[in-house]
Amino acid sequence: ILHPEQVQRTGEYAEGHHDQAQLLDAVLIDTLELLDRSTPLLFYCNGGVRSRKAAERYRELGFLDVYCLSERL
């Protein structure tokens, strides 16, 4: 199961997001760090900068299947 995570400000998230996406906030960060490292993660934002930083962070934490979209879904 792919976990799509939206790396945006709360207002941007409220304007629209993928049906299954979760806003990457402090609570979700803690939750994601508990997942099995083989869990696939997908990060996206409007411009790609924040999602790329999030993807890099989770790769550094040992997640093996991390994706970053450069454009919003």
Side-chain angles (χ1 to χ4, degrees):
I1 297 174
L2 185 66
H3 288 261
E5 315 305 341
Q6 187 166 356
V7 187
Q8 295 186 306
R9 295 177 191 94
T10 304
E12 293 171 326
Y13 184 79
E15 289 175 11
H17 55 275
H18 185 273
D19 292 343
Q20 296 178 357
Q22 299 179 71
L23 180 63
L24 187 63
D25 60 8
V27 173
L28 184 58
I29 288 171
D30 291 343
T31 302
L32 289 178
E33 290 179 2
L34 298 175
L35 291 174
D36 184 282
R37 295 307 193 244
S38 65
T39 302
L41 300 173
L42 168 68
F43 296 96
Y44 73 96
C45 66
N46 284 335
V49 175
R50 288 173 284 185
S51 58
R52 187 171 31 257
K53 287 180 181 181
E56 289 171 2
R57 179 175 191 273
Y58 284 89
R59 283 187 194 109
E60 289 171 0
L61 289 172
F63 284 86
L64 305 172
D65 212 4
V66 180
Y67 302 93
C68 173
L69 295 180
S70 59
E71 296 181 14
R72 187 176 180 177
L73 294 173

